[in-house]
mmCIF file of all heavy atoms in Angstrom:
data_model
loop_
_atom_site.group_PDB
_atom_site.id
_atom_site.type_symbol
_atom_site.label_atom_id
_atom_site.label_comp_id
_atom_site.label_asym_id
_atom_site.label_seq_id
_atom_site.Cartn_x
_atom_site.Cartn_y
_atom_site.Cartn_z
ATOM 1 N N LYS A 808 16.584 9.573 0.095
ATOM 2 C CA LYS A 808 17.198 10.014 1.396
ATOM 3 C C LYS A 808 16.047 10.925 2.052
ATOM 4 O O LYS A 808 16.171 10.942 3.268
ATOM 5 C CB LYS A 808 18.411 10.935 1.074
ATOM 6 C CG LYS A 808 19.605 10.189 0.750
ATOM 7 C CD LYS A 808 20.781 11.122 0.573
ATOM 8 C CE LYS A 808 21.963 10.398 0.050
ATOM 9 N NZ LYS A 808 22.973 11.410 -0.231
ATOM 10 N N SER A 820 2.887 16.451 11.545
ATOM 11 C CA SER A 820 1.576 17.141 11.217
ATOM 12 C C SER A 820 0.369 16.397 11.821
ATOM 13 O O SER A 820 -0.610 16.987 12.290
ATOM 14 C CB SER A 820 1.499 17.416 9.820
ATOM 15 O OG SER A 820 1.416 16.261 9.029
ATOM 16 N N ALA A 834 1.306 16.467 -0.884
ATOM 17 C CA ALA A 834 1.471 17.139 -2.199
ATOM 18 C C ALA A 834 2.983 17.275 -2.653
ATOM 19 O O ALA A 834 3.314 17.053 -3.823
ATOM 20 C CB ALA A 834 0.832 18.468 -2.149
ATOM 21 N N GLY A 863 10.645 0.006 25.845
ATOM 22 C CA GLY A 863 11.910 -0.248 26.392
ATOM 23 C C GLY A 863 12.902 -0.902 25.297
ATOM 24 O O GLY A 863 13.954 -1.480 25.808
ATOM 25 N N ASP A 870 11.311 9.625 17.966
ATOM 26 C CA ASP A 870 10.048 9.543 18.573
ATOM 27 C C ASP A 870 9.347 10.879 18.504
ATOM 28 O O ASP A 870 9.902 11.990 18.199
ATOM 29 C CB ASP A 870 10.282 9.156 19.965
ATOM 30 C CG ASP A 870 9.012 8.773 20.749
ATOM 31 O OD1 ASP A 870 8.097 8.541 20.108
ATOM 32 O OD2 ASP A 870 9.001 8.723 22.077
ATOM 33 N N ALA A 872 6.759 12.704 20.794
ATOM 34 C CA ALA A 872 6.282 12.587 22.079
ATOM 35 C C ALA A 872 4.773 12.865 22.112
ATOM 36 O O ALA A 872 4.052 12.309 23.117
ATOM 37 C CB ALA A 872 6.983 13.487 22.931
ATOM 38 N N GLU A 884 -2.468 0.710 12.381
ATOM 39 C CA GLU A 884 -3.705 0.099 11.645
ATOM 40 C C GLU A 884 -4.049 0.863 10.508
ATOM 41 O O GLU A 884 -4.352 0.322 9.455
ATOM 42 C CB GLU A 884 -4.767 -0.092 12.567
ATOM 43 C CG GLU A 884 -4.572 -1.230 13.707
ATOM 44 C CD GLU A 884 -5.850 -1.335 14.639
ATOM 45 O OE1 GLU A 884 -6.729 -0.595 14.603
ATOM 46 O OE2 GLU A 884 -5.780 -2.333 15.405
ATOM 47 N N VAL A 886 -2.238 2.972 8.604
ATOM 48 C CA VAL A 886 -1.088 2.809 7.626
ATOM 49 C C VAL A 886 -1.196 1.569 6.848
ATOM 50 O O VAL A 886 -1.199 1.462 5.670
ATOM 51 C CB VAL A 886 0.254 2.998 8.300
ATOM 52 C CG1 VAL A 886 1.323 2.631 7.383
ATOM 53 C CG2 VAL A 886 0.515 4.421 8.733
ATOM 54 N N SER A 896 -6.230 2.301 -5.744
ATOM 55 C CA SER A 896 -6.365 3.653 -5.554
ATOM 56 C C SER A 896 -6.333 4.349 -7.040
ATOM 57 O O SER A 896 -5.426 4.073 -7.782
ATOM 58 C CB SER A 896 -5.421 4.216 -4.699
ATOM 59 O OG SER A 896 -5.680 5.731 -4.698
ATOM 60 N N ARG A 899 -2.629 7.835 -6.680
ATOM 61 C CA ARG A 899 -1.627 7.159 -5.803
ATOM 62 C C ARG A 899 -1.465 7.774 -4.377
ATOM 63 O O ARG A 899 -1.129 7.118 -3.461
ATOM 64 C CB ARG A 899 -0.288 7.030 -6.517
ATOM 65 C CG ARG A 899 0.289 8.394 -6.928
ATOM 66 C CD ARG A 899 1.414 8.194 -7.901
ATOM 67 N NE ARG A 899 2.012 9.469 -8.233
ATOM 68 C CZ ARG A 899 3.210 9.715 -8.141
ATOM 69 N NH1 ARG A 899 4.145 8.789 -7.800
ATOM 70 N NH2 ARG A 899 3.777 11.007 -8.315
ATOM 71 N N MET A 905 -6.538 10.341 2.594
ATOM 72 C CA MET A 905 -7.603 9.988 3.434
ATOM 73 C C MET A 905 -7.320 9.696 4.780
ATOM 74 O O MET A 905 -8.009 10.043 5.700
ATOM 75 C CB MET A 905 -8.323 8.641 2.680
ATOM 76 C CG MET A 905 -8.998 9.011 1.397
ATOM 77 S SD MET A 905 -9.605 7.664 0.469
ATOM 78 C CE MET A 905 -9.921 6.270 1.625
ATOM 79 N N TRP A 910 -7.595 11.084 10.473
ATOM 80 C CA TRP A 910 -6.837 11.339 11.699
ATOM 81 C C TRP A 910 -7.029 12.785 12.315
ATOM 82 O O TRP A 910 -7.352 12.966 13.321
ATOM 83 C CB TRP A 910 -5.408 11.091 11.535
ATOM 84 C CG TRP A 910 -4.657 11.125 12.868
ATOM 85 C CD1 TRP A 910 -3.945 12.220 13.410
ATOM 86 C CD2 TRP A 910 -4.596 10.257 13.897
ATOM 87 N NE1 TRP A 910 -3.452 12.038 14.685
ATOM 88 C CE2 TRP A 910 -3.841 10.822 14.899
ATOM 89 C CE3 TRP A 910 -5.034 8.965 14.140
ATOM 90 C CZ2 TRP A 910 -3.573 10.149 16.180
ATOM 91 C CZ3 TRP A 910 -4.845 8.248 15.178
ATOM 92 C CH2 TRP A 910 -4.001 8.778 16.294
ATOM 93 N N GLN A 917 -14.422 13.320 16.772
ATOM 94 C CA GLN A 917 -15.003 12.302 17.831
ATOM 95 C C GLN A 917 -14.345 12.355 19.062
ATOM 96 O O GLN A 917 -15.099 12.290 20.119
ATOM 97 C CB GLN A 917 -14.759 10.825 17.048
ATOM 98 C CG GLN A 917 -15.677 10.667 15.926
ATOM 99 C CD GLN A 917 -15.325 9.281 15.250
ATOM 100 O OE1 GLN A 917 -14.402 8.641 15.592
ATOM 101 N NE2 GLN A 917 -16.150 9.011 14.282
ATOM 102 N N LYS A 937 -23.968 8.218 39.703
ATOM 103 C CA LYS A 937 -24.506 6.968 40.144
ATOM 104 C C LYS A 937 -25.977 6.941 39.776
ATOM 105 O O LYS A 937 -26.593 5.946 39.391
ATOM 106 C CB LYS A 937 -24.347 6.710 41.640
ATOM 107 C CG LYS A 937 -22.955 6.328 41.971
ATOM 108 C CD LYS A 937 -22.772 6.124 43.405
ATOM 109 C CE LYS A 937 -21.334 5.914 43.782
ATOM 110 N NZ LYS A 937 -21.138 5.893 45.279
ATOM 111 N N THR A 958 -42.737 -10.520 22.782
ATOM 112 C CA THR A 958 -42.586 -11.968 22.342
ATOM 113 C C THR A 958 -43.448 -12.841 23.030
ATOM 114 O O THR A 958 -44.154 -13.674 22.462
ATOM 115 C CB THR A 958 -41.053 -12.362 22.964
ATOM 116 O OG1 THR A 958 -40.142 -11.407 22.356
ATOM 117 C CG2 THR A 958 -40.770 -13.737 22.336
ATOM 118 N N LYS A 961 -46.813 -12.333 21.329
ATOM 119 C CA LYS A 961 -46.906 -12.977 19.998
ATOM 120 C C LYS A 961 -47.096 -14.505 20.164
ATOM 121 O O LYS A 961 -47.807 -15.133 19.556
ATOM 122 C CB LYS A 961 -45.554 -12.684 19.250
ATOM 123 C CG LYS A 961 -45.631 -11.333 18.659
ATOM 124 C CD LYS A 961 -44.220 -11.087 17.942
ATOM 125 C CE LYS A 961 -44.042 -9.553 17.577
ATOM 126 N NZ LYS A 961 -42.674 -9.343 17.019
ATOM 127 N N THR A 969 -53.799 -21.430 16.840
ATOM 128 C CA THR A 969 -53.719 -22.882 16.611
ATOM 129 C C THR A 969 -54.745 -23.730 17.436
ATOM 130 O O THR A 969 -55.043 -24.845 17.088
ATOM 131 C CB THR A 969 -52.246 -23.391 16.898
ATOM 132 O OG1 THR A 969 -51.997 -23.156 18.386
ATOM 133 C CG2 THR A 969 -51.285 -22.828 16.014
#
Side-chain angles (χ1 to χ4, degrees):
K808 287 183 188 175
S820 65
D870 196 11
E884 287 182 352
V886 165
S896 180
R899 58 195 184 123
M905 290 173 29
W910 182 265
Q917 290 174 352
K937 286 179 186 174
T958 306
K961 287 179 187 176
T969 56

